Amino acid sequence: MASTLGSSSIAVLPSRYFSSFSTKPSIHTLSLTSGQSYGRKFYGGIGIHGIKGRSQLSVANVATEVNSVEQAHSIASKESQRPVYPFSAIVGQDEMKLCLLLNVIDPKIGGVMIMGDRGTGKSTTVRSLVDLLPEIQVVSGDPYNSDPEDPEFMGVEVRERVLQGDQLPVVLTKINMVDLPLGATEDRVCGTIDIEKALTEGVKAFEPGLLAKANRGILYVDEVNLLDDHLVDVLLDSAASGWNTVEREGISISHPARFILIGSGNPEEGELRPQLLDRFGMHAQVGTVRDAELRVKIVEERARFDKNPKEFRDSYKAEQEKLQDQISSARSVLSSVQIDQDLKVKISRVCAELNVDGLRGDIVTNRAAKALAALKGRDKVSSEDIATVIPNCLRHRLRKDPLESIDSGLLVTEKFYEVFS
């Protein structure tokens, strides 16, 4: 499921660093829903209300200790994990690989939807991204991977500690990639309440689910077009708000759930709901390789990997490290990349003339073009950058015409050259 890779250093941030957070609005995140309430409220943090005439239960988070143990043993467990095919060893499929890299550079692009034929390496490519994921700062022992600097990515317990002036232990860890299986239950995805602990110990303990583990990471859904509707609704709610709210047994708990949503599937097995499709920032189409020599190369490389995974991974170590450095450099310069006003206007003209609903297409195209320029080591977006990413950003946002035989990506490309010429 979630694989938290090793931490390398620990730091403590002083409480004065967070003095600017005191302007955040009050958030009620844990309350009993029936009866007249009383109790205390933390400004910008967590509210706990009890019912008059009844004993108030204490609140604990059973995942905090578990998460600390996982981080402590992550380096030792890395060697025993299933070997992952190297990203640099993937032959072809440049469109899919580019979309994935751009989302790692700028997570605010909004994820990737990968659709294509069976056996074209969709899930292999996504899972191979794990080795390239950069390190981020998280609060040690926090089950939600809270950001020590950004209150929008903080769990309520961490925010409460900040407002109380506590010092936060900070650890560097790699970004999580969480697999969401098709057979997952809603309780496992959202998290649930440990009723047994409440009855035996008088403690209401919340056990975080997959959305908590995916916060500030990647949530991958293979065969996303076969996902049950009730899980699609959960993903839509979390993707829209960036928070997951759990309503169980009379209490309400909220935690941050901002993640890069990556989905893959075969269009022959069913269409994706348009509401969820629109939540993906980019859309990549994958086709079967037709060149005989490339097919032979793919087969030989896979055979080498199956025979000796460690030796195969070592042979691509230099290329992997080079790509990692390129991603880290692009993330560091992303904020300084500029795009001319004229190019912004032309992007919006393309979206308007293609009758794209909403403004997500405009926003995502601007972000993706900046990420591509950063990946290439430039501080200014060119029209070539926009030409590369705009079909992937708008293809899935066009209105479906059952009589239209032209691929939607070609329509976007034609309109781009018409406007930018």
Side-chain angles (χ1 to χ4, degrees), residues 97 139 150 168 203 406:
K97 291 192 290 186
V139 177
D150 188 353
L168 299 177
V203 174
I406 303 177

Side-chain angles (χ1 to χ4, degrees), residues 264-286:
S264 62
N266 184 354
E268 296 178 356
E269 297 172 354
E271 293 293 331
L272 196 63
R273 280 171 56 180
Q275 302 96 316
L276 183 59
L277 186 61
D278 188 59
R279 288 292 171 185
F280 289 96
M282 304 182 76
H283 185 286
Q285 284 189 346
V286 182

Side-chain angles (χ1 to χ4, degrees), residues 67-336:
N67 195 62
S68 301
V69 174
E70 287 179 354
Q71 291 180 349
H73 293 284
S74 59
I75 298 178
S77 64
K78 183 179 178 181
E79 296 297 327
S80 62
Q81 291 176 355
R82 184 174 59 182
V84 178
Y85 198 86
F87 188 87
S88 303
I90 303 291
V91 178
Q93 313 299 9
D94 295 330
E95 180 180 321
M96 170 173 57
K97 291 192 290 186
L98 179 62
C99 290
L100 292 172
L101 291 177
L102 296 183
N103 273 271
V104 173
I105 294 171
D106 185 2
K108 292 184 178 180
I109 288 175
V112 190
M113 179 65 215
I114 304 169
M115 297 296 279
D117 303 330
R118 294 179 289 270
T120 49
K122 299 185 295 294
S123 58
T124 300
T125 305
V126 173
R127 293 190 173 100
S128 69
L129 201 62
V130 169
D131 290 337
L132 303 179
L133 296 178
E135 290 184 331
I136 56 174
Q137 285 188 335
V138 301
V139 177
S140 179
D142 183 71
Y144 310 119
N145 301 318
S146 293
D147 189 336
E149 300 179 5
D150 188 353
E152 293 297 324
F153 289 93
M154 283 185 183
V156 289
E157 293 178 354
V158 172
R159 186 179 294 185
E160 175 189 341
R161 290 168 60 188
V162 169
L163 295 176
Q164 289 177 345
D166 295 345
Q167 291 183 327
L168 299 177
V170 179
V171 62
L172 279 176
T173 184
K174 278 211 169 187
I175 292 177
N176 281 346
M177 177 177 286
V178 179
D179 274 317
L180 176 60
L182 294 179
T185 63
E186 187 173 341
D187 285 355
R188 187 69 191 97
V189 175
C190 297
T192 187
I193 304 300
D194 192 337
I195 300 301
E196 180 181 357
K197 207 172 186 67
L199 295 176
T200 58
E201 302 179 19
V203 174
K204 288 189 177 179
F206 173 65
E207 183 178 359
L210 298 181
L211 293 180
K213 293 180 180 179
N215 185 42
R216 301 182 66 205
I218 295 175
L219 183 66
Y220 175 50
V221 189
D222 196 6
E223 307 294 348
V224 64
N225 47 340
L226 302 181
L227 197 65
D228 288 342
D229 283 346
H230 67 96
L231 292 182
V232 172
D233 294 336
V234 169
L235 291 181
L236 283 172
D237 184 48
S238 297
S241 64
W243 284 76
N244 175 42
T245 301
V246 182
E247 303 284 351
R248 294 284 188 276
E249 286 75 43
I251 70 171
S252 175
I253 296 177
S254 294
H255 66 78
R258 296 178 183 269
F259 46 80
I260 303 172
L261 182 60
I262 300 179
S264 62
N266 184 354
E268 296 178 356
E269 297 172 354
E271 293 293 331
L272 196 63
R273 280 171 56 180
Q275 302 96 316
L276 183 59
L277 186 61
D278 188 59
R279 288 292 171 185
F280 289 96
M282 304 182 76
H283 185 286
Q285 284 189 346
V286 182
T288 303
V289 177
R290 301 300 177 188
D291 184 87
E293 293 184 0
L294 279 181
R295 293 170 75 105
V296 170
K297 183 178 180 182
I298 294 171
V299 172
E300 290 176 346
E301 294 285 87
R302 185 70 210 190
R304 281 181 55 207
F305 176 75
D306 292 338
K307 183 179 180 180
N308 192 333
K310 187 178 185 305
E311 181 182 320
F312 184 82
R313 286 172 55 84
D314 289 343
S315 67
Y316 281 93
K317 187 175 181 181
E319 293 183 41
Q320 291 281 96
E321 290 177 350
K322 181 181 178 182
L323 192 52
Q324 276 183 312
D325 293 340
Q326 196 175 357
I327 291 173
S328 298
S329 175
R331 284 171 63 96
S332 63
V333 303
L334 179 63
S335 59
S336 63

